[in-house]
């Protein structure tokens, strides 16, 4: 049998039973509420199960540095771990997967990390008593405002300690607060964070037991670039808490590669909405842009855009963010205005021109490896963008995506099913793995 996919064994993933339960469970759910298309339900389900989050949960927060990315081979990888599945089920999943293009995907309220991509959860972390059998002596709450900073904007974090017996806050004693460089720079000490609980600087309230830590990267300083770590050592004498360490990692870009200007334009093309964000590019290269689209009146999320684009150096360039027409129909939009939120972007610090990568691979050339941080972030826009026009769903095409990548993937899958049937004397409904 021809090796159509990268792995020699095409199906080594989720069991046929689990696959059918998920797929047809979604079908049953869709039958009760037809505002969302089945493809939206599948996108949501796969998004949640990729992080082992129950479909019943509407709350899930991830570390912002681990933002989920679209991957059209995710279905294949799951099914590749199965001993049993059918070509028919595979084909159904791929058809739904490719209802929308890779750069414009449906967004729902259950995709919490995409709704608020920079949120870092405030959780209480247990502190275990030394030389004890798991006895909890206290807790600390340690969280930050943002996991990325640009230029000379401050990295800010808050720390609070609690008594395990009473769950009441207790005063911590700060022993040190240091900043370490990126791993590629040797995790060297590059600074000391300021801290206080006096209501000064970034501290919200004096003597409330919440210490505020802040550190400002130096613009243009190379060692202040990359995934930096703020490490705080503290104790709490009132509950006999010994020295404990809290840390968080944040991305710092002291020399920005580009900047959003705050100018936008909107237009319809081929039944989809496009919002063009103007950007000044200081460093050419491969950029990744993301954004979310919401209903202005109801706040309903509709789209998440994930766009890769090579940008040349120059000012007043436009990045046209695509919001695929069928998603408006599948998410139950009727009419109104939209708000573009969470526009973000970063440059991939690649040591080669990504436009020539395929050529390099064909020629057998060695792909260079960088010894610098991989990301350079663009400062976030000051304000979200609200569309000037009101839109009606009839202005958007209900037709599914028909790109060449979709046609090729489905063609390969159909050929695979035909080969399987010919080789095993079975129909496309036969469980793969059966003899």
């Amino acid at each position: 049998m021809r090796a159509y996919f990268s792995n020699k064994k095409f199906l080594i993933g989720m069991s046929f039973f689990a696959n059918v339960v998920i797929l047809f469970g979604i079908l049953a759910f869709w039958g009760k509420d037809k505002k969302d298309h089945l493809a939206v339900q599948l996108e949501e389900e796969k998004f949640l199960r990729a992080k082992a989050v129950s479909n019943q949960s509407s709350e899930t927060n991830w570390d912002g540095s681990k933002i989920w990315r679209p991957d059209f081979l995710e279905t294949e990888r799951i099914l590749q771990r199965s001993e049993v599945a059918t070509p028919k089920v595979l084909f159904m999943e791929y058809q739904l997967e490719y209802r929308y293009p890779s750069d414009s995907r449906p967004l729902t309220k259950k995709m919490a990390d995409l709704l608020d991509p920079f949120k870092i959860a405030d959780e209480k972390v247990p502190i275990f008593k030394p030389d004890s059998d798991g006895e909890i002596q206290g807790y600390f709450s340690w969280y930050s405002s943002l996991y990325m900073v640009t230029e000379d904007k401050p990295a800010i974090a808050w720390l609070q300690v609690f008594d395990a017996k009473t769950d009441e806050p207790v005063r911590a004693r700060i022993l040190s607060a240091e900043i370490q460089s990126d791993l590629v720079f040797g995790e060297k000490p590059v600074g000391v964070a300021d801290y206080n609980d006096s209501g000064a600087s970034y501290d919200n309230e004096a003597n409330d037991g919440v210490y505020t830590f802040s550190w400002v990267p130096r613009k243009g300083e190379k060692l202040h670039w990359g995934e930096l770590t703020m490490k705080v050592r503290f104790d709490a004498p009132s509950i006999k808490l010994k020295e404990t360490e809290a840390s968080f990692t944040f991305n710092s870009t002291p020399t920005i590669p580009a900047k959003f200007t705050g100018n936008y334009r909107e237009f319809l093309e081929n039944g989809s909405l496009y919002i063009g964000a103007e950007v000044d590019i200081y460093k050419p290269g491969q950029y990744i842009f993301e954004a979310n689209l919401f209903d202005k009146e109801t706040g309903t999320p509709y789209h998440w855009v994930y766009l890769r684009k090579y940008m040349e150096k120059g000012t007043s360039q436009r990045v046209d963010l695509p919001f695929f027409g069928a998603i408006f129909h599948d998410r139950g939009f009727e009419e109104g205005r939209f708000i573009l939120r969470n526009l973000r972007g970063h440059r991939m610090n690649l040591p080669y021109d990504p436009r020539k990568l395929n050529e390099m691979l064909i020629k057998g050339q060695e792909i260079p490896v960088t010894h610098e941080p991989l990301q350079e972030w663009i400062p976030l826009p000051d304000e979200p963008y609200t569309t000037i026009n009101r839109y009606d769903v009839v202005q958007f095409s209900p037709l599914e995506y028909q790109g060449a990548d979709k046609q090729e993937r489905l063609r390969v899958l159909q050929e695979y099913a035909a080969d399987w049937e010919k080789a095993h004397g079975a129909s496309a409904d036969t469980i793969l793995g059966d003899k």
Side-chain angles (χ1 to χ4, degrees), residues 376-397:
E376 297 172 287
W377 281 87
I378 303 174
L380 299 177
D382 294 330
E383 300 289 341
Y385 172 72
T386 302
T387 58
I388 297 172
N389 302 314
R390 293 185 68 87
Y391 295 90
D392 191 285
V393 71
V394 298
Q395 295 176 267
F396 302 117
S397 170

Side-chain angles (χ1 to χ4, degrees), residues 67-70 102-103 118 147-148 257-258 260 279 281 283-291 304-311 319 321 342-350 354 374-378 380:
I67 295 176
W68 184 77
R69 305 298 187 196
S102 61
D103 55 10
F118 296 110
Y147 93 93
M148 53 80 71
F260 295 112
V279 60
I281 301 295
K283 292 181 68 175
Q286 180 79 50
Y287 282 78
I288 295 176
F289 297 97
E290 298 179 72
W304 164 52
V305 164
Y306 180 87
L307 181 66
R308 290 178 179 267
K309 187 174 184 179
Y310 191 92
M311 305 292 292
V319 177
L321 306 169
N342 302 321
L343 175 61
R344 62 260 192 208
H346 64 272
R347 177 182 178 273
M348 299 300 295
N349 183 40
L350 303 173
L374 290 175
Q375 296 180 342
E376 297 172 287
W377 281 87
I378 303 174
L380 299 177

Side-chain angles (χ1 to χ4, degrees), residues 22-23 26 37-47 49 75 92-94 96-97:
I22 289 173
L23 187 59
I26 295 170
H37 190 276
L38 175 58
V40 175
Q41 298 295 328
L42 180 63
E43 183 87 356
E44 182 180 83
E45 180 67 39
K46 290 174 68 175
F47 175 86
R49 68 174 146 138
T75 298
M92 289 175 65
E93 283 218 33
Y94 275 123
L96 292 170
E97 184 84 26

Side-chain angles (χ1 to χ4, degrees), residues 31 38 49 70 91 115 126 145 165 169 172 174 181 197 206 211 227 243 245 287 292 328 362 402 435:
L38 175 58
R49 68 174 146 138
F91 189 75
L115 293 174
S145 59
K165 296 180 180 179
I174 308 304
S181 69
D197 183 23
Y211 277 90
E227 293 287 337
E243 181 180 316
E245 182 180 282
Y287 282 78
N292 301 341
F328 293 107
I362 291 172
Q402 295 294 343
K435 301 296 184 182

Side-chain angles (χ1 to χ4, degrees), residues 301-412:
Y302 291 120
H303 291 71
W304 164 52
V305 164
Y306 180 87
L307 181 66
R308 290 178 179 267
K309 187 174 184 179
Y310 191 92
M311 305 292 292
E312 300 286 359
K313 183 177 180 179
T315 59
S316 303
Q317 300 189 59
R318 196 177 73 240
V319 177
D320 290 330
L321 306 169
F323 300 96
F324 192 62
I327 295 176
F328 293 107
H329 291 265
D330 296 352
R331 291 286 289 122
F333 171 73
E334 295 179 355
E335 65 88 26
R337 295 168 69 190
F338 302 110
I339 294 183
L340 181 77
R341 295 188 184 275
N342 302 321
L343 175 61
R344 62 260 192 208
H346 64 272
R347 177 182 178 273
M348 299 300 295
N349 183 40
L350 303 173
Y352 57 87
D353 187 336
R355 296 171 297 179
K356 299 179 180 179
L357 179 59
N358 287 339
E359 180 184 342
M360 294 169 67
L361 292 172
I362 291 172
K363 292 181 178 180
Q365 297 177 356
E366 184 177 350
I367 307 302
V369 177
T370 184
H371 298 289
E372 295 180 329
L374 290 175
Q375 296 180 342
E376 297 172 287
W377 281 87
I378 303 174
L380 299 177
D382 294 330
E383 300 289 341
Y385 172 72
T386 302
T387 58
I388 297 172
N389 302 314
R390 293 185 68 87
Y391 295 90
D392 191 285
V393 71
V394 298
Q395 295 176 267
F396 302 117
S397 170
L399 301 179
E400 66 182 54
Y401 175 63
Q402 295 294 343
D405 56 334
K406 170 183 178 177
Q407 302 307 319
E408 176 62 15
R409 176 62 62 176
L410 294 180
R411 180 191 67 79
V412 167

